[in-house]
Amino acid sequence: MRSTYSDCVVIGLGCPFLSDDSIGPRVIRELAAGMEESWRLVESHAGGLLLLEELAGAKRAIIVDALLDSRRTPGEVVVAGIYGSSQNAACGHDCTLLQALTIGRAMGLDLPTDMNIHLVAVVADDVTTFAENLSPRVASALPEACRIVRSLAQGHLFANKEAA
Amino acid sequence: MTRRITIDPITRLEGHGKIEIFLDDAGDVSSAYFQIPELRGFESFCVGRHAEEMANITNRICGVCPEAHHMAAAKAVDAAFGVPCLPAARRIRELIYMAFFVTDHTTHFYCLGGPDFIVGPDAPASERNILGVIRKVGVDIGLQVINCRKRNHELIKRLGGRGVHLCGALPGGWSVALSEEMRRDFLHCAKENIDFARFSLKTFDDIVLKDQAYLDLMFSDLYRHETHSMGTVDAGMAPNFYEGRIRVVDTLGNEVALYDPKDYLSHIAEHVEPWSYLKFPYLKKFGWNGFVDGQESGIYHATPLARLNVADRMATPLAQAEFERFFDTFGARGKAANGRNLPVHQRLATHWARLIELLYAAERMQELLEHPEICDPAVRQVVEAQAGIGIGSVEAPRGTLTHHYETDVRGVLTKVNLIVGTTNNNAPISLSVMKAAKGLIKGGVFSDGILNQVEMAFRLYDPCCSCATHALGKAPLEVNLRAVDGSLLDQQVRG
C-alpha cells in the first residue's frame, strides 16, 4: 500500500544563491508549485540537530542535496540511504545527521527509521560561484530529480540507484 | 628542516577551516596559522539588488546564525532608508534574537565547547561530541538540550515565518504582531530558558569549577592572551546583543573607544595576509603591530568574554549576580586602576561567559514579553526607498556583526560590506592557536589529545567559517603537521 503524502517531509538542502548548491531548494520550489497533496516541504541550509528538528514527526523523509563526486557526471541523480548523507546534512556546529538521529531516538523523538530516510543527490558542477542559476547539466536534471522525489514520496524505492 | 602539521577540517567548527603547524629541526613549533581556504565574493553578488532583499539573502549564508544576519540586514536597511523601526516591531526583533542566542549558546556549550570539559580533552575524538556528553552525564541533559532548542525554534518560527531561515523583517518593522496568546506561550518558554540557563551554570560549576585540573587549565598561561575587548553596550554600559554603542576597553580595563556602529570605519581597519582569504581587523588607535598581544597591539577580541570585559554590569538581576561571581573568581572585580573590573584574559573562561550570556538572554526575553506594548499591532509601516548609507550592527553569538549597505535613489545596493564575528576574532584566534601549539608540541611529539588541545584554543571562540568566508557545505577542519620544506608529517581530519 502506498504511503500518504502527509507523513512525508521533503527537505531541500543548500544555499539558494550558490549555483548548483541550490538544487535542493529548487526541487522544493518545483514541488511546491505543482503540489496537490499536503507534503511538508522544507528549504534549509542546516544540518545536524536543526535537520533533526525538521525530521521529527515524519514517518518518511527525503533529503535533496547537491553532491560533489568527481567519479560521476554533473547532472547525474543519485538515490542513497541515510548512510550516504552529504556534508550538508552535517553541522560542524553540533553533529552529523547520523549522530543527531541517534540522539533523537535516545530522547524518544518520533523520527523516521533509517530505511525511511532517502537522499536524492544531484551531482553538481559548480558550488562555489554565487549565482541564482543552475549550471546547464544540473538544470537539465531538475525534472528528473523532482520525478524521483515524487515517486519516493509515494513509497517507491530505487534500489538500483543506491550510491556507492 | 621545518615540519608541518595541518588540522583540517577543524572538529566541530562550522564551515571549512584549517590549522597549519610548522615544526623546526628540533621538532618545536616555529609557526602556526588558522586558515579559511574559500573566498566567494558574496558582497559583490549582492550589489545591484534591492536593499530590502538583504535580510532574506544574508540569512541563507549559513545555517548557524541566520538570525544574526537577518537582524543586522534589517537594521542596515532601516538606516539606509532613514526609517526608525516601530517600537513593538523592535521588541519582537529583539525577542526573536534572544531566543536565537539561547539556542546558539546552548548548542555551543553542550555540543562544541562542553565536550572538552565534560568528556575530557584527551578523550578519543569519537567521544568528544554531544553523544559523548550524553553518555557521560545522562539522557536527561540531552533531552533538556533538545527541548531548549525546540521551544526557542518554535518561537522563531511562529514570529519569523520559518524556524531556520526566518523571513519576518520588513524595513522599519516586522511582518507579524505578537498576539496575547503567543505572549503567554513565550513567557512560559522564557521562564523555562531561565531555569535551563541556571542549570547549565550549575553544571559548569560542578564539572569545571569544582575540578582542580580544569581550573588549573583555565588559569594556565597556555590559554591566556592580553588583547583589547570589544562589545555592544546599552546606555548603562551593560551588554546588549541587539543594539547600542560599541565599546572597546584595553588590556587594563580602560575605555579606549565608545562609538555608534555607523562609525566603525573610524575605529577599525583590516590587515591582509597572503596566506589567508579572511582579513584581520584591528584597532586604528593602536595600528597593526603583527601577531602579538599586549597593550600596544591593535588586536582585539569580540566574544562573550570580551562582552563581559567591556561591560560595567549586566542588565538583568540573575546575570548580574553571575557577572559578579565571574570577576570575583578571577580576582578582577573592581581591580582596574579606574575602579572597573580588570579584563579577564583567560580565554577558556569564554565558555563560562557564554553561559552568563545565556542566562541574560533568557531573562531579557522575559523582560521584553512583560513590556506592556509588545503586543501593539502597529508593526508595519509604509517605507520609501531612498539613496543612503545604512550600517546595521548586532552582537552575533560569536562576535560583533556589521552590515554596511549603500543604496541609490531606487533603493538598489551600490555597496555591501560585511564584518562578521569570526572575522573580528581572526587575529586573536591565530594568536591562540600559535600559543597553544608552541606550548603543547615539543620535540616533535604530539598526539590526538595534544592536537585537540590546540583546537580547544580556537574552538572557544565559537568560530563560524561559513559566515566568515561565505563557504558552504564543507567538512569542518583539518590539522596538518609539516616539516620545514612543507612536506606533510601528519594530518588529522575531523568530520
Side-chain angles (χ1 to χ4, degrees):
Chain A
M1 191 176 78
R2 287 183 176 181
S3 303
T4 60
Y5 286 116
S6 58
D7 61 8
C8 180
V9 61
V10 185
I11 303 170
L13 288 182
C15 173
F17 312 113
L18 203 57
S19 300
D20 294 342
D21 195 49
S22 68
I23 185 68
R26 291 291 296 271
V27 166
I28 295 300
R29 291 171 194 183
E30 290 290 320
L31 296 174
M35 193 173 69
E36 296 175 0
E37 307 286 344
S38 56
W39 303 27
R40 187 154 66 88
L41 301 174
V42 178
E43 277 188 39
S44 182
H45 183 253
L49 293 177
L50 278 171
L51 201 46
L52 178 77
E53 290 167 15
E54 296 293 357
L55 294 176
K59 298 296 181 203
R60 292 174 304 122
I62 301 164
I63 298 168
V64 190
D65 199 4
L67 175 67
L68 288 176
D69 188 341
S70 58
R71 298 167 302 170
R72 300 178 189 272
T73 307
E76 184 179 344
V77 183
V78 178
V79 181
I82 178 62
Y83 291 96
S85 63
S86 67
Q87 288 289 354
N88 272 347
C91 175
H93 203 67
D94 47 64
C95 58
T96 66
L97 178 57
L98 282 171
Q99 288 173 329
L101 286 167
T102 303
I103 294 163
R105 286 170 184 147
M107 304 298 120
L109 298 187
D110 181 18
L111 293 164
T113 63
D114 285 357
M115 284 185 63
N116 282 317
I117 300 175
H118 299 281
L119 176 72
V120 176
V122 180
V123 179
D125 206 4
D126 178 6
V127 295
T128 60
T129 304
F130 272 104
E132 290 183 274
N133 56 301
L134 298 166
S135 66
R137 286 186 288 190
V138 173
S140 66
L142 182 59
E144 172 69 355
C146 292
R147 187 189 67 76
I148 289 172
V149 170
R150 285 193 188 96
S151 296
L152 283 169
Q154 291 168 352
H156 299 309
L157 295 177
F158 291 80
N160 59 324
K161 289 202 172 184
E162 204 69 17
Chain B
M1 187 178 75
T2 299
R3 295 187 300 164
R4 177 174 175 181
I5 305 172
T6 301
I7 306 179
D8 181 7
I10 301 169
T11 308
R12 287 173 271 144
L13 168 67
E14 185 62 25
H16 184 83
K18 183 163 68 173
I19 292 175
E20 295 271 9
I21 302 169
F22 290 84
L23 304 187
D24 61 19
D25 289 340
D28 295 334
V29 174
S30 60
S31 57
Y33 304 97
F34 169 56
Q35 292 182 310
I36 298 177
E38 296 89 359
L39 177 68
R40 302 289 174 82
F42 184 75
E43 289 91 342
S44 303
F45 169 79
C46 296
V47 169
R49 294 172 180 275
H50 288 279
E52 62 267 30
E53 292 181 55
M54 290 300 284
N56 294 324
I57 291 176
T58 56
N59 73 348
R60 304 297 284 262
I61 292 176
C62 85
V64 175
C65 41
E67 290 86 353
H69 286 290
H70 195 65
M71 297 304 175
K75 292 177 69 178
V77 173
D78 293 350
F81 290 173
V83 53
C85 187
L86 292 165
R90 198 214 64 76
R91 291 189 182 95
I92 289 170
R93 288 183 186 181
E94 188 178 355
L95 173 67
I96 290 171
Y97 202 51
M98 293 304 95
F100 158 63
F101 248 81
V102 168
T103 64
D104 198 278
H105 276 4
T106 295
T107 304
H108 186 277
F109 179 66
Y110 287 99
C111 301
L112 278 170
D116 291 322
F117 296 105
I118 297 171
V119 183
D122 295 322
S126 59
E127 282 292 306
R128 289 192 314 265
N129 52 43
I130 176 83
L131 283 171
V133 169
I134 290 171
R135 275 192 282 270
K136 186 78 178 282
V137 297
V139 169
D140 181 58
I141 285 188
L143 193 57
Q144 289 202 50
V145 171
I146 296 291
N147 286 339
C148 175
R149 289 171 53 92
K150 183 181 175 185
R151 64 175 172 265
N152 287 286
H153 285 141
E154 182 63 24
L155 182 155
I156 294 168
K157 190 172 187 176
R158 285 175 72 183
L159 277 174
R162 283 198 292 247
V164 181
H165 307 290
L166 72 172
C167 49
L170 298 171
W174 195 258
S175 57
V176 60
L178 186 75
S179 68
E180 182 55 34
E181 180 192 4
M182 283 195 277
R183 195 187 70 83
R184 281 196 301 269
D185 291 349
F186 297 159
L187 258 177
H188 184 66
C189 168
K191 287 171 181 169
E192 285 187 310
N193 287 344
I194 293 170
D195 290 342
F196 179 72
R198 298 180 79 178
F199 165 81
S200 299
L201 279 157
K202 182 172 186 313
T203 301
F204 188 83
D205 272 8
D206 292 343
I207 292 176
V208 180
L209 299 182
K210 291 178 182 171
D211 185 314
Q212 192 58 47
Y214 283 144
L215 272 180
D216 291 345
L217 193 65
M218 189 155 67
F219 278 89
S220 73
D221 185 60
L222 190 64
Y223 298 107
R224 187 177 191 281
H225 280 296
E226 292 192 3
T227 65
H228 313 301
S229 301
M230 172 186 285
T232 304
V233 292
D234 64 16
M237 299 300 160
N240 189 291
F241 305 149
Y242 179 76
E243 65 185 355
R245 288 179 293 173
I246 308 293
R247 192 183 204 191
V248 181
V249 302
D250 66 15
T251 64
L252 303 172
N254 302 303
E255 180 183 290
V256 292
L258 181 64
Y259 58 91
D260 189 288
K262 69 180 172 52
D263 299 324
Y264 78 102
L265 288 173
S266 300
H267 299 272
I268 304 297
E270 293 181 309
H271 172 75
V272 176
E273 286 283 340
W275 47 268
S276 176
Y277 285 123
L278 193 58
K279 294 174 183 173
F280 298 87
Y282 62 93
L283 296 169
K284 283 184 173 179
K285 177 183 174 71
F286 297 95
W288 177 258
N289 298 307
F291 289 96
V292 292
D293 62 0
Q295 181 69 7
E296 302 308 315
S297 170
I299 294 176
Y300 65 92
H301 66 130
T303 62
L305 179 61
R307 289 190 286 252
L308 295 197
N309 282 341
V310 303
D312 290 347
R313 62 182 186 88
M314 300 298 286
T316 55
L318 295 175
Q320 172 65 22
E322 291 294 332
F323 177 81
E324 291 172 8
R325 189 167 70 97
F326 176 86
F327 282 99
D328 279 340
T329 301
F330 291 95
R333 186 148 74 103
K335 295 296 175 63
N338 57 9
R340 292 191 68 251
N341 299 327
L342 272 174
V344 169
H345 295 300
Q346 282 82 6
R347 294 296 156 100
L348 286 179
T350 307
H351 295 296
W352 188 2
R354 190 170 283 116
L355 293 178
I356 296 171
E357 289 196 335
L358 167 63
L359 180 56
Y360 161 70
E363 288 186 282
R364 180 65 180 150
M365 285 178 72
Q366 184 173 358
E367 278 186 357
L368 288 161
L369 286 160
E370 288 175 343
H371 193 282
E373 294 173 8
I374 194 168
C375 290
D376 185 337
V379 293
R380 290 188 276 187
Q381 59 182 315
V382 176
V383 176
E384 295 291 333
Q386 66 175 43
I389 298 174
I391 294 167
S393 173
V394 294
E395 286 295 326
R398 43 203 59 78
T400 311
L401 168 65
T402 304
H403 282 211
H404 177 158
Y405 306 156
E406 296 184 14
T407 58
D408 65 16
V409 291
R410 302 166 297 163
V412 171
L413 292 161
T414 56
K415 177 182 175 180
V416 173
N417 186 38
L418 273 59
I419 297 182
V420 304
T422 295
T423 309
N424 281 306
N425 294 318
N426 196 14
I429 289 173
S430 296
L431 278 178
S432 294
V433 166
M434 171 78 87
K435 188 165 187 176
K438 284 190 169 180
L440 289 162
I441 300 173
K442 301 285 187 188
V445 177
F446 63 93
S447 63
D448 182 66
I450 285 175
L451 293 183
N452 183 56
Q453 288 183 59
V454 175
E455 287 188 47
M456 284 170 62
F458 91 105
R459 193 152 53 230
L460 62 89
Y461 291 92
D462 192 15
C464 182
C465 299
S466 293
C467 286
T469 63
H470 324 309
L472 299 160
K474 300 289 186 182
L477 175 90
E478 159 187 315
V479 181
N480 289 333
L481 179 60
R482 296 187 186 273
V484 179
D485 63 0
S487 59
L488 189 66
L489 297 173
D490 192 61
Q491 183 178 64
Q492 303 282 331
V493 177
R494 322 293 175 84

